[in-house]
Amino acid sequence: MEDFKFTGKEWWREGVRFECTGSGKCCTSHGEFGFVYLNLEDRQRFAKYFNLSTSAFTRKYCEKTGGIWHLKEDPKNPDCMFLKNGNRCGTYEARPTQCRTWPFWPEVMNAKSWAKDVKAFCPGVGRGEIIPAERIEKQLREQIESEKGWGK
């Protein structure tokens, strides 16, 4: 992915009101956002959580598509395999960068995508505290760095 360029004029510069409501909707498949992508650090964090070696965790829970590591999916249920009771992460402490940085992903941080791809299904948008631009930018940069390691 190309580096995300910040102009200082982004629509979210005044902050965005967001609070996780625990709906679990971000853990369910939304077309192109179906895979939970993982870099090496994500797989190591999961492995430690499950008390497995990184290679054992990777063999058991991961696969590569197009050269990119992601959690395996059940074709009959594309939701995250670690989603419990339809709305809770069963591995919250070990969750990957992709999950920790949601909803502040580069590909949805333009006004049109935010309204279409995030606000339309995430009940946390417009709730809670205002997330300042500095925190949003930090999460965007963390996601960008994570994506660079998805194939490793």
Side-chain angles (χ1 to χ4, degrees):
M1 170 181 213
E2 291 182 33
D3 284 338
F4 195 75
K5 306 289 187 222
F6 298 106
T7 66
K9 298 178 183 177
E10 293 85 3
W11 68 269
W12 45 264
R13 284 289 166 189
E14 298 299 315
V16 173
R17 192 171 297 280
F18 177 75
E19 175 181 64
C20 179
T21 63
S23 72
K25 291 184 178 189
C26 55
C27 305
T28 60
S29 183
H30 295 276
E32 68 181 274
F33 301 118
F35 286 139
V36 177
Y37 296 110
L38 306 169
N39 62 27
L40 178 58
E41 292 81 17
D42 293 328
R43 294 192 326 268
Q44 289 170 333
R45 190 179 317 106
F46 269 128
K48 183 177 179 183
Y49 179 85
F50 286 111
N51 198 26
L52 295 170
S53 69
T54 302
S55 60
F57 171 81
T58 302
R59 279 191 307 276
K60 184 172 182 176
Y61 294 104
C62 305
E63 61 188 19
K64 246 184 182 180
T65 301
I68 298 175
W69 286 110
H70 59 86
L71 289 176
K72 289 180 181 178
E73 281 191 349
D74 177 348
K76 296 175 187 162
N77 179 12
D79 296 346
C80 178
M81 71 171 70
F82 298 124
L83 184 63
K84 302 296 179 206
N85 301 322
N87 67 350
R88 294 284 176 227
C89 177
T91 59
Y92 188 81
E93 300 81 14
R95 73 195 186 283
T97 305
Q98 179 180 334
C99 301
R100 288 185 286 111
T101 60
W102 174 259
F104 304 113
W105 295 351
E107 61 269 26
V108 297
M109 287 310 291
N110 63 68
K112 184 178 178 182
S113 291
W114 183 264
K116 180 180 174 238
D117 298 326
V118 180
K119 189 176 183 181
F121 77 86
C122 180
V125 173
R127 297 179 138 197
E129 67 179 270
I130 293 177
I131 308 300
E134 298 78 27
R135 188 164 143 206
I136 293 170
E137 191 168 325
K138 181 180 181 216
Q139 289 193 316
L140 285 166
R141 289 193 188 284
E142 184 179 356
Q143 180 61 26
I144 290 164
E145 284 304 309
S146 176
E147 290 176 18
K148 291 176 182 177
W150 284 351
K152 297 177 182 171

Coordinates of all heavy atoms in Angstrom, one line a residue, residues 25 27-28 56 71 83 98 104 107:
K25 N -20.2 -6.0 15.0 CA -20.4 -5.8 13.6 C -19.1 -5.7 12.8 O -19.0 -6.0 11.6 CB -21.3 -4.7 13.3 CG -22.7 -5.0 13.7 CD -23.7 -3.8 13.4 CE -25.1 -4.2 13.8 NZ -26.1 -3.3 13.4
C27 N -16.5 -7.4 13.3 CA -16.0 -8.7 13.3 C -16.7 -9.7 12.3 O -16.4 -10.8 12.2 CB -16.0 -9.4 14.7 SG -15.2 -8.4 15.9
T28 N -17.6 -9.1 11.6 CA -18.4 -9.9 10.6 C -18.0 -9.4 9.2 O -17.5 -8.3 9.0 CB -19.9 -9.7 10.8 OG1 -20.2 -8.3 10.6 CG2 -20.4 -10.2 12.2
A56 N 3.3 -22.9 14.8 CA 2.2 -23.7 15.1 C 0.8 -22.9 15.0 O -0.1 -23.4 14.5 CB 2.3 -24.3 16.5
L71 N -6.4 -14.7 9.0 CA -7.0 -15.8 9.7 C -7.8 -16.6 8.7 O -8.4 -16.1 7.8 CB -7.9 -15.3 10.8 CG -7.3 -14.6 12.0 CD1 -8.3 -14.0 12.9 CD2 -6.4 -15.6 12.7
L83 N -14.8 -14.6 17.1 CA -16.0 -13.9 17.5 C -16.9 -14.8 18.4 O -17.2 -15.9 18.0 CB -16.8 -13.4 16.3 CG -18.0 -12.5 16.6 CD1 -17.6 -11.3 17.4 CD2 -18.8 -12.2 15.3
Q98 N -5.1 -4.8 12.8 CA -6.3 -4.5 12.0 C -7.5 -4.2 12.9 O -8.3 -3.3 12.7 CB -6.6 -5.6 11.0 CG -7.8 -5.3 10.2 CD -8.0 -6.5 9.2 OE1 -7.1 -7.2 8.8 NE2 -9.3 -6.6 8.8
F104 N -10.3 3.4 12.1 CA -9.4 4.4 11.5 C -8.4 3.7 10.6 O -7.2 3.6 10.8 CB -8.8 5.2 12.6 CG -9.8 5.9 13.5 CD1 -9.9 5.5 14.8 CD2 -10.6 6.8 13.0 CE1 -10.8 6.1 15.6 CE2 -11.6 7.4 13.8 CZ -11.7 7.1 15.1
E107 N -8.1 3.2 4.1 CA -9.1 3.1 3.0 C -10.5 3.6 3.3 O -11.3 3.7 2.3 CB -9.1 1.6 2.5 CG -9.5 0.6 3.5 CD -8.4 0.0 4.3 OE1 -7.3 0.6 4.5 OE2 -8.6 -1.1 4.8

